[in-house]
Amino acid sequence: MTVTNAEADFVVNSKYRSHASSMSDSLKLTIGARVQAARRGANLSQEVLADRVSRTPESISNIERGKQLPNIETLAELARVLDVPLTDFFEGLEKRRSISRERAELEAELLETARQLAPRLVKVAVEQVKALRQLG
């Protein structure tokens, strides 16, 4: 059986699209979970945040649920309003291929909780997380 160049290109491009789609989904989930955690940490409702960044509550909801990837201008405005560095939304993304929604939310919550701790307590939290890693 001979495979034509067009067929080979289709297979390669399909695999690339599938991988790119998976990366995009993971990016949307992770950024959305981090936006949600920062919003909750700032004690803001989706409606209030939407108003402050000139977006609709539905748009904020879609971002937080990983259904919509905001453009960089929107992310910068979210970071400003939520008082977090813009880079926090992207931290560690280069190391992961795919992630579940639950994992993205838990990691974002952990990061936001650590951000609110005094430095000495962050040190304790890191040691506890390391101990948990060794357990399992």
Side-chain angles (χ1 to χ4, degrees):
M1 175 176 169
T2 327
V3 176
T4 67
N5 284 342
E7 291 169 327
D9 286 346
F10 176 78
V11 169
V12 169
N13 288 333
S14 294
K15 287 181 181 178
Y16 173 75
R17 277 192 300 274
S18 174
H19 179 68
S21 175
S22 173
M23 286 175 52
S24 175
D25 289 346
S26 181
L27 178 68
K28 288 188 282 189
L29 284 173
T30 301
I31 288 175
R34 291 176 181 182
V35 168
Q36 182 181 61
R39 176 183 60 77
R40 288 179 175 167
N43 202 28
L44 297 176
S45 68
Q46 287 182 340
E47 292 75 15
V48 169
L49 179 58
D51 185 57
R52 291 187 184 174
V53 296
S54 302
R55 298 292 181 271
T56 65
E58 293 79 16
S59 179
I60 299 300
S61 174
N62 286 337
I63 291 168
E64 290 185 359
R65 290 181 297 122
K67 301 297 181 190
Q68 175 184 337
L69 184 62
N71 64 35
I72 194 67
E73 290 84 8
T74 300
L75 277 175
E77 189 64 9
L78 287 165
R80 184 188 67 74
V81 168
L82 295 169
D83 195 29
V84 297
L86 177 61
T87 55
D88 280 9
F89 295 136
F90 301 99
E91 189 81 31
L93 288 175
E94 68 280 355
K95 297 176 187 169
R96 65 177 49 170
R97 296 195 182 268
S98 66
I99 188 170
S100 72
R101 178 181 168 81
E102 179 183 26
R103 172 85 186 213
E105 289 173 354
L106 290 170
E107 285 181 8
E109 184 178 357
L110 183 62
L111 179 63
E112 184 59 31
T113 301
R115 184 181 291 119
Q116 296 172 11
L117 293 174
R120 66 182 176 78
L121 294 178
V122 172
K123 186 175 182 176
V124 171
V126 167
E127 293 305 316
Q128 289 178 335
V129 170
K130 285 180 180 179
L132 288 171
R133 181 180 61 196
Q134 289 178 351
L135 289 175

